[in-house]
Amino acid sequence: MKNIKDYDLQELKQELTNIGEKPFRAEQIFKWLYQEKVKSFDEMTNLSLELREKLKQNYTICNFNILRKQESKDGTIKYLFDVLDGNAIETVLMSYHHGYSICISSQIGCKMGCKFCASTGINFIRSLTSGEIVEQILLVEQDTGVRISNVVFMGIGEPLDNYENVVNAIRIINNPKGLNIGARHISISTSGLVPKIYKLAEENIQCTLSISLHATNNEKRSSMMPVNNTYPIEELMKACKDYIEKTHRRISFEYALAKDNNDNLEDAKELVKLLKGMLCHVNLIPINKIENGAFDKSSNENIMKFRDYLNDHGIVATIRRELGSDIDAACGQLRRKNLKQ
Ligand code: SAH
């Protein structure tokens, strides 16, 4: 049986029609699931008993369990969720002056193999369904009582490697009758799956695209990110330009600074050359050293020099605030868990 949270509103209307019900029931169910945040069909009290029974026979409602909750001294909260198949994933809630952001996972494990990231050193298990992606937001809102205003697909997994489910989840997150979070407040971060970037440009979604660039030439980028061997920088930049042209949305380039690797002024110069004239923004991330990781964090002085060089040469750059590193909740530190081990 399929999890009822796997359907976006349009699909749920179709599902209900298929079982002989009126499509407006889908809107009622959406309201129960995403606004009232109920955990069972029995709580959907404006549906007839008969319909509730029918729903129970046809669908499940997947509710994750919270296995662990850790709070950082900066207020960041990391959750370990039991996804009910023997695996667990991590989700992070961050508090900013403009509201709450949630960093969600899209897969259990990751295939990309980036050399600096802890999410990928372990075997890939499977992609999350749309309902499982949405569930992370639902459960965190439920548990904390806060209203989440920003969603970033920057947890475990490569979102564009789980394209259909991620796009479907965004439709649920974005729907005014769903979680009602504006598309402009949703960011997808990708290691650079070029064909999927072209595809995303064709969807009518106003979400923000973040590209994990991290290096400006193929030799260096391939040494950090194996995906670059398949989709080299020239092809990636072509896809980014197409995305900007089609969506008129500014792209955010993520650049994790690793000491003596990609953090000197020569790199900054190359980055300016690469991005000059593009509608974009650079997000500099002080790299978080992971266990057995090959890269060390750049000095604060180098990070600031790098940022200033970009800003002085016409590229808007900011340094990402490091949140949650004391509880291994910062960029690149999330891991899937196998509950049977
Ligand atoms: N798979 C997606 C989302 C992953 S994480 C992607 O690759 O974009 C979000 C960001 O954190 C990415 O830019 C990723 O490259 C970066 N990141 C991963 N490990 C990191 C680390 N150890 N330190 C700093 N940033 C890291």
Side-chain angles (χ1 to χ4, degrees):
M1 272 201 288
K2 215 166 158 183
N3 173 13
I4 194 142
K5 294 174 192 165
D6 283 336
Y7 300 103
D8 75 15
L9 189 57
Q10 237 12 66
E11 291 171 332
L12 191 58
K13 283 183 179 170
Q14 191 54 51
E15 281 289 311
L16 286 161
T17 312
N18 295 347
I19 58 168
E21 294 293 332
K22 295 251 166 3
F24 80 92
R25 296 284 179 208
E27 297 188 359
Q28 291 179 317
I29 295 171
F30 246 55
K31 197 163 171 224
W32 283 116
L33 290 173
Y34 303 114
Q35 288 168 19
E36 303 299 329
K37 302 191 172 69
V38 303
K39 290 180 180 262
S40 69
F41 292 114
D42 288 326
E43 291 163 89
M44 301 184 179
T45 48
N46 61 354
L47 307 182
S48 68
L49 278 177
E50 198 190 340
L51 175 54
R52 283 184 245 162
E53 273 315 306
K54 213 180 203 179
L55 291 172
K56 276 189 235 170
Q57 278 158 21
N58 287 283
Y59 311 99
T60 58
I61 297 189
C62 148
N63 302 302
F64 288 170
N65 297 319
I66 300 175
L67 288 173
R68 194 172 63 209
K69 184 177 167 184
Q70 289 167 278
E71 192 157 349
S72 154
K73 52 183 184 317
D74 62 33
T76 301
I77 302 175
K78 183 170 80 169
Y79 288 91
L80 181 68
F81 290 138
D82 177 359
V83 304
L84 311 174
D85 68 348
N87 290 295
I89 50 153
E90 294 187 314
T91 301
V92 178
L93 178 70
M94 294 157 291
S95 159
Y96 290 97
H97 59 271
H98 57 265
Y100 287 94
S101 279
I102 189 170
C103 174
I104 57 176
S105 294
S106 55
Q107 296 181 313
I108 305 177
C110 184
K111 298 180 204 158
M112 295 300 126
C114 298
K115 299 282 187 280
F116 43 83
C117 181
S119 302
T120 194
I122 34 198
N123 291 343
F124 173 78
I125 304 285
R126 66 172 174 89
S127 284
L128 295 176
T129 68
S130 316
E132 290 173 325
I133 293 170
V134 172
E135 176 67 5
Q136 300 168 61
I137 308 172
L138 264 178
L139 193 45
V140 170
E141 282 199 342
Q142 229 166 23
D143 183 60
T144 56
V146 306
R147 164 86 180 128
I148 287 165
S149 49
N150 283 282
V151 177
V152 298
F153 281 85
M154 295 189 186
I156 304 165
E158 165 51 54
L160 296 189
D161 185 40
N162 183 16
Y163 187 89
E164 300 299 333
N165 292 346
V166 164
V167 166
N168 209 44
I170 291 177
R171 296 198 198 288
I172 301 170
I173 296 166
N174 182 225
N175 196 304
K177 298 202 163 79
L179 285 169
N180 193 21
I181 297 174
R184 287 167 183 263
H185 297 275
I186 303 172
S187 297
I188 298 186
S189 179
T190 179
S191 57
L193 298 188
V194 164
K196 299 294 166 55
I197 296 172
Y198 283 109
K199 200 166 173 201
L200 191 65
E202 302 291 338
E203 307 276 353
N204 196 12
I205 316 179
Q206 285 290 303
C207 64
T208 299
L209 181 63
S210 297
I211 303 284
S212 297
L213 186 61
H214 305 322
T216 52
N217 62 66
N218 285 322
E219 195 188 338
K220 201 176 282 185
R221 192 165 189 269
S222 295
S223 75
M224 301 171 79
M225 307 174 70
V227 64
N228 194 69
N229 291 312
T230 314
Y231 303 115
I233 293 178
E234 304 72 48
E235 286 182 32
L236 178 59
M237 297 316 285
K238 248 210 274 179
C240 290
K241 285 178 183 150
D242 173 80
Y243 187 87
I244 295 169
E245 209 170 283
K246 295 218 171 93
T247 62
H248 308 292
R249 299 279 295 147
R250 186 173 80 157
I251 287 187
S252 170
F253 286 98
E254 294 159 288
Y255 192 100
L257 289 154
K259 189 173 164 208
D260 300 330
N261 174 56
N262 62 353
D263 69 338
N264 66 39
L265 280 187
E266 274 313 304
D267 296 290
K269 264 184 212 165
E270 279 192 36
L271 191 55
V272 169
K273 260 197 238 152
L274 190 67
L275 302 182
K276 199 89 199 171
M278 270 175 96
L279 182 63
C280 70
H281 165 265
V282 172
N283 208 205
L284 297 170
I285 317 175
I287 212 161
N288 291 300
K289 190 171 173 62
I290 56 161
E291 219 180 293
N292 304 322
F295 302 104
D296 289 318
K297 188 176 289 182
S298 300
S299 65
N300 283 343
E301 194 192 335
N302 270 9
I303 295 172
M304 283 190 294
K305 269 196 204 151
F306 203 98
R307 176 200 55 197
D308 293 344
Y309 185 89
L310 296 181
N311 282 327
D312 290 345
H313 292 81
I315 305 285
V316 182
T318 48
I319 300 170
R320 183 177 289 175
R321 253 177 77 206
E322 256 179 293
L323 292 175
S325 55
D326 56 333
I327 53 166
D328 281 350
C331 299
Q333 295 185 315
L334 303 187
R335 295 169 168 275
R336 74 162 181 88
K337 303 255 178 334
N338 183 332
L339 299 177
K340 292 177 194 128
Q341 273 167 359

